[in-house]
Every structure is written in structure tokens, then in C-alpha cells.
Amino acid sequence: MLIAALIAIFVVMIMAITRAILGPTLYDRILAVNMFGTKTVLLISILGFIMGRPEFLDIAIVYALINFISVIGVLRYSDNLIFKDSEQQKK
Amino acid sequence: METILEFSSSIFLLIGSFLCISGGVGILRFPDFYTRMHAVGVTETLATAMILIGLILHNPDFLVDIKLMIILLMTIFISPTASHALAKAAQHNKLMPKLDTDIKADNKKVTSSNP
Amino acid sequence: MRHTLFLSLTLAMFWVLISGHYTTFILVLGVISIAIVVFVAHRMDVVDHESQPVHLTLKLPAYYAWLIKEIILANILVVKHIWLGNKTISPVMTTIKASQKTDIGKVIYANSITLTPGTVTLELEGDKFIVHALLRESIKDLESGEMDRRVTQLED
């Protein structure tokens, strides 16, 4: 059953990456990358159990925090004028 | 006792996988950014909780269970903050949501152009 | 003082549960780390009733139980509409009023709205929230004000 959950999470990660590549606006891409990060946390936890090494959970905790900080960091940058200009040039 | 735990863990993992895949379908299928955010909300609340509860039931070691619970709590506390920040940034940069009336108009256009 | 104690206790529990090694050396390292973190938190002036809501501890569990029930119901609704397709959804954006007085009450309310799938808080202005919802039903549930009432009960 762990293998089934692993495969399901892989499928969802592929879907998220598809949306990150397609995404018409920048926010779609950030959203997809955020979802990809949360799914990575789950993937690391399940992989740790399948390989019989639950020590991987420490890495999962750190990954969850890094994911959050990276999203907030990118969004902080989004209030910048340069960011808005590049968005408008695309249109 | 062992078999009951194994069985319920499998059930939780299955439900979690189904919810995850639903969220993935949602993020591909929905029409605009704000609606996609709701699909991501599904995968970040109940789907994550179900998969992690499944893992907790699968594993008898106490310290490992605590670590899984910490991951669960972190995900649940972090996800609304991240989505609120994202939505606020999108709204400040004038990304307009597609509302109900727009979608109905689109459908009418589609149906009228396909006789 | 109460908040400092609470912060140190939380950090100590976190250290003991995460590390899993109980030799003297590791525990001393833990005490030093906690002291440094508490010192830095004091210097940043973030140790107060907002970061450590001790006064809510007794009332929170009942609210969490109710919120988990709401989250499960909302998840089922959203998943149903994901599989039914784009024609069945009705995205709306409205302003709703919050009756909380303190900042922490408003934050709890806004976060609960965002945590429930199908509704997202876009902006807080005074006592007005701008909310985007996937379905008209979810916005009607919010306007009926049960969540608002429960959060307001929490704060006094």
C-alpha cells in the first residue's frame, strides 16, 4: 500500500510540474511549485518507510520549512517594481 | 491487533492518495488562478493529513510517530499563511478572478459557436 | 514572564522529541540552544500574547474539533466539484464582516477561512475581509456566521 501511495504522489507531482510549465501567469507557477514542495515532503516521508530508514523524517521537516520560506521570499520580491514591469512586458 | 492497524493504515493511505490525485486533476482542470488555489487547498489539508495518519498507524515507534505529527502540524499551520500571501500578492498586482457570470458567458459562447 | 516560560517549555519539548538522544552532552547543548533562542526572541520583541496565545489554550481544543469537521465536509464538497467539472462551479468574490475585536481573533478567523478548502481570504481591512469562494454555497455558509460566532466566543 505504501508503494501505491508513492505512485499516486509521483503522478500528482507530474501534474503540478505540468501546471508550472503551462501556467499562464506567474502566480500559477508559484502555486504549482508550492504544491510540488508539499508533495515532496510526503514523498520523503513515505520513501523513508519503504527503505526502512525513518531518519528521513528530519529531512522532511526541514524541507517543509524551506519550502515555506522560499514561497514567502519570492512573494516579497513580487511587490518590487521590476517584477511588475517584466510581467507587463510579457503581455 | 496488528492486522487491524495494517488494514486501517491502508484505508487511510488509499483515501489520501485519492484526494491527492483529485487535487492534481483540479489544478490542471480549473479555469483560473483563484480556483486552482482551492484545488491546492484540498491536497494540503485533508490529503496530507490522511497520508500522514496512515503512516502513523503503520509505524509502532513512538518517536517516529511524534515526528510525523510535527510534520502534519507544520503543514497545517504553514499552508493557509502561504496561500493567503500568494492570493494577496496576486490581488495587489491586479490579477482579476474569473467570476460566475464570466464563466456562464464563456459557456454560452462555446455552445453558440458549436451548432 | 508567563510567555517566556511557555516558549522555553515548547522549545524544550521540541528538542527532546526530535533529538531522541538523551546523553548529558546533547542535553546541555539543548539547554544552551533554548537560551539563545529565547534571548533572540526577546531582542526581536516577539514574546507576547500574540505569538504565545496562552490564554486561549483551554478553549482551543473544542474549536479545533469543530474546525476539523468543517474541513472534512468542505474537502468532500470541493473534490465532488473537481470531478463534476468546470460547469458546476460558481466562483464568487465578496466582502464579509468580522465581529472580532482583537487582532488575534481576526487572524484566527481569516486563517480558518483559508484553511477550509473552497474559501480563501484575499485581504483584511479593518473588520472587513475580502473572500474568494469556489461555490456560492460556501459563501452562504460563511455569511450565516457560525464560524464568526465561534471565533468571537473564543476571544473573551
Side-chain angles (χ1 to χ4, degrees):
Chain A
M1 201 45 70
L2 286 175
I3 306 274
L6 191 74
I7 292 168
I9 287 174
F10 265 127
V11 172
V12 177
M13 284 167 92
I14 291 169
M15 283 165 168
I17 280 292
T18 317
R19 175 48 73 193
I21 295 167
L22 288 178
T25 66
L26 222 134
Y27 301 102
D28 286 298
R29 292 175 216 268
I30 301 173
L31 185 73
V33 169
N34 185 18
M35 180 177 169
F36 190 80
T38 347
K39 294 285 109 35
T40 312
V41 173
L42 286 182
L43 186 79
I44 294 173
S45 336
I46 294 182
L47 211 56
F49 279 99
I50 288 177
M51 295 167 80
R53 291 172 65 183
E55 294 85 12
F56 280 12
L57 290 177
D58 297 338
I59 303 172
I61 293 174
V62 174
Y63 203 94
L65 293 173
I66 291 177
N67 182 33
F68 173 64
I69 290 172
S70 63
V71 169
I72 296 294
V74 172
L75 290 173
R76 178 110 185 87
Y77 181 63
S78 82
D79 281 345
N80 213 326
L81 272 177
I82 305 166
F83 190 85
K84 278 181 196 162
D85 286 350
S86 66
E87 265 295 280
Q88 276 160 5
Q89 275 167 12
K90 254 184 233 161
K91 284 169 198 164
Chain B
M1 194 58 204
E2 281 284 293
T3 45
I4 296 172
L5 276 183
E6 274 303 302
F7 182 70
S8 47
S9 142
S10 304
I11 296 279
F12 273 111
L13 282 174
L14 262 188
I15 298 173
S17 311
F18 171 72
L19 287 172
C20 259
I21 288 181
S22 306
V25 171
I27 199 178
L28 287 179
R29 203 175 186 185
F30 277 161
D32 78 324
F33 165 73
Y34 293 97
T35 43
R36 277 173 208 142
M37 219 157 49
H38 301 304
V40 174
V42 171
T43 68
E44 284 186 353
T45 54
L46 198 61
T48 310
M50 284 294 166
I51 288 182
L52 287 176
I53 290 172
L55 288 179
I56 289 173
L57 292 176
H58 174 84
N59 179 283
D61 190 353
F62 175 70
L63 277 179
V64 173
D65 287 354
I66 291 288
K67 277 181 196 170
L68 285 168
M69 265 176 226
I70 288 174
I71 294 179
L72 177 58
L73 280 182
M74 271 183 184
T75 319
I76 285 178
F77 284 138
I78 282 173
S79 87
T81 317
S83 14
H84 172 70
L86 194 56
K88 196 174 174 181
Q91 207 218 6
H92 270 222
N93 290 331
K94 311 274 186 294
L95 182 71
M96 280 297 135
K98 265 190 185 173
L99 295 179
D100 195 12
T101 46
D102 302 349
I103 286 180
K104 277 188 182 139
D106 280 1
N107 286 343
K108 262 179 207 159
K109 250 184 247 163
V110 171
T111 44
S112 58
S113 61
N114 296 337
Chain C
M1 195 58 223
R2 199 168 54 142
H3 299 120
T4 312
L5 198 70
F6 191 76
L7 178 66
S8 325
L9 266 180
T10 319
L11 288 171
M13 217 163 74
F14 191 70
W15 179 282
V16 167
L17 290 175
I18 287 283
S19 97
H21 293 277
Y22 306 114
T23 57
T24 323
F25 178 61
I26 301 275
L27 289 179
V28 168
L29 282 185
V31 171
I32 295 172
S33 313
I34 292 166
I36 292 174
V37 170
V38 170
F39 173 68
V40 171
H42 265 286
R43 262 184 73 98
M44 286 168 74
D45 202 19
V46 291
V47 187
D48 52 15
H49 65 282
E50 280 185 353
S51 67
Q52 311 287 328
V54 189
H55 57 289
L56 296 178
T57 313
L58 285 179
K59 290 178 188 164
L60 275 178
Y63 179 68
Y64 280 162
W66 181 79
L67 190 64
I68 288 170
K69 191 203 88 194
E70 284 296 298
I71 288 174
I72 291 172
L73 291 180
N75 264 295
I76 293 169
L77 196 68
V78 173
V79 167
K80 200 179 89 189
H81 282 275
I82 287 174
W83 291 107
L84 283 177
N86 280 350
K87 280 176 190 161
T88 57
I89 62 171
S90 48
V92 277
M93 201 161 99
T94 59
T95 311
I96 60 167
K97 270 186 79 86
S99 63
Q100 288 80 32
K101 285 176 197 69
T102 54
D103 281 351
I104 190 162
K106 280 177 197 163
V107 169
I108 291 176
Y109 187 32
N111 264 342
S112 310
I113 291 175
T114 313
L115 196 56
T116 326
T119 46
V120 170
T121 324
L122 297 183
E123 193 151 2
L124 285 84
E125 285 175 350
D127 61 345
K128 291 201 176 74
F129 297 174
I130 302 175
V131 176
H132 182 277
L134 186 63
L135 302 161
R136 275 184 199 287
E137 300 147 68
S138 345
I139 212 85
K140 270 187 197 128
D141 281 354
L142 276 183
E143 275 168 352
S144 76
E146 183 168 10
M147 190 184 270
D148 188 30
R149 192 172 52 75
R150 282 179 189 262
V151 179
T152 310
Q153 271 177 3
L154 208 63
E155 70 181 358
D156 47 39

